[in-house]
Amino acid sequence: MKKTALFMIGFVALCACDKHDPILPGERTNIFATEKVRVLNTAVPDVAENIEESAVNDCPYRLDTQNTIWDGDKKIFAGFPTNNYVRGQKNPVCDGGFVYAGLSTGELIKVNPQNRQIAWIADVYRQSNMTGGASVLDIIAPIQIYKKYVYAGGLGGAFCKISDATGATAWCADIGVEHAFIITNDTAYVLDTDNNLNAVRLRDGAFYWRTPVKKSAAPQYKNKTIIVANEKFDAESGKLIK
């Protein structure tokens, strides 16, 4: 795992919540149908010239480092606190009257802020990362909601497509994600924690292509080109543009 200096590593400490605070429920199962990334080594079809600028949707809620979501000084969700998190600002996402947030314990949650009811919780981590006691599962990449699905990636080795309506996982790709990713048409362009740029097919999680990058940075999209730090890649083929 890269950039370990950023991590605050320790044992996972669970604390009891009061009776008004939600507890993370549900049976945990392996989220991966396969142990390997499926790379098609093919071009991305219907590549967009440029991506649409997303509408600014101010979300007034705050997520602290102890997995609590606040509405001002009012607590609307309290998850399990942990010492295993990455320093930095994480912002919840608001959509359709709900709040979405990625926790340092590797879960993505959807909460109704009006009644504090949890709509669903989805795991965004490899099951094997739960062994060893000090894994960093933090979801630090910004969450994206696109065409009735929620996309989230974290340091637990998973990039997942999740039903917005039910919280059911459609698929998870076996990669860790640190930076913001790009979604356009049927493709997500995702830089993983092993410094590979991946073109992920949204319908099934297969990779059109993957290519290594020299420096880790959030990908940018312009004129059918993916820009990562000082390198440029063809969005269709993944080839380096010199």
Side-chain angles (χ1 to χ4, degrees):
M1 187 68 66
K2 297 186 176 184
K3 299 185 179 181
T4 53
L6 295 177
F7 300 157
M8 296 187 65
I9 305 298
F11 64 89
V12 176
L14 304 182
C15 79
C17 300
D18 66 43
K19 64 181 180 180
H20 299 293
D21 289 333
I23 305 296
L24 300 185
E27 181 179 349
R28 297 295 185 250
T29 57
N30 196 331
I31 60 177
F32 290 93
T34 177
E35 294 298 317
K36 296 181 180 179
V37 169
R38 183 160 62 102
V39 183
L40 303 175
N41 291 317
T42 188
V44 176
D46 302 321
V47 173
E49 183 71 29
N50 288 290
I51 60 174
E52 295 182 6
E53 294 293 333
S54 59
V56 176
N57 185 10
D58 291 333
C59 193
Y61 306 100
R62 176 176 59 88
L63 175 66
D64 67 19
T65 59
Q66 296 304 303
N67 292 324
T68 300
I69 300 175
W70 298 88
D71 179 6
D73 59 358
K74 178 184 177 183
K75 185 189 301 182
I76 63 171
F77 172 85
F80 293 138
T82 173
N83 291 331
N84 296 5
Y85 62 87
V86 177
R87 292 183 183 274
Q89 181 69 34
K90 292 191 297 180
N91 297 314
V93 173
C94 295
D95 188 76
F98 289 91
V99 182
Y100 303 76
L103 308 182
S104 64
T105 45
E107 290 96 2
L108 175 68
I109 61 164
K110 178 180 180 180
V111 182
N112 184 331
Q114 300 304 315
N115 57 19
R116 302 172 62 196
Q117 293 299 307
I118 302 172
W120 48 253
I121 297 175
D123 292 339
V124 184
Y125 58 81
R126 286 191 59 83
Q127 199 75 6
S128 60
N129 284 350
M130 293 301 292
T131 62
S135 294
V136 179
L137 307 179
D138 207 347
I139 299 174
I140 60 175
I143 299 158
Q144 291 199 44
I145 302 170
Y146 183 76
K147 293 185 178 179
K148 299 182 180 180
Y149 287 92
V150 186
Y151 294 86
L155 297 177
F159 175 68
C160 298
K161 175 183 180 179
I162 298 159
S163 169
D164 186 22
T166 67
T169 301
W171 52 255
C172 286
D174 185 8
I175 55 174
V177 182
E178 176 184 3
H179 295 291
F181 46 88
I182 297 165
I183 293 180
T184 177
N185 293 348
D186 181 47
T187 307
Y189 295 96
V190 188
L191 184 72
D192 64 37
T193 51
D194 291 322
N195 277 12
N196 294 303
L197 178 63
N198 305 281
V200 185
R201 189 164 65 185
L202 295 187
R203 69 173 182 266
D204 60 3
F207 289 26
Y208 288 114
W209 49 256
R210 72 186 322 187
T211 187
V213 304
K214 291 181 179 179
K215 186 176 180 181
S216 178
Q220 306 295 319
Y221 194 104
K222 185 177 181 180
N223 300 330
K224 297 186 178 182
T225 300
I226 308 296
I227 305 166
V228 182
N230 295 321
E231 294 182 293
K232 296 182 178 180
F233 301 88
D234 180 78
E236 183 178 12
S237 66
K239 292 181 179 179
L240 179 66
I241 300 172
K242 297 183 180 179

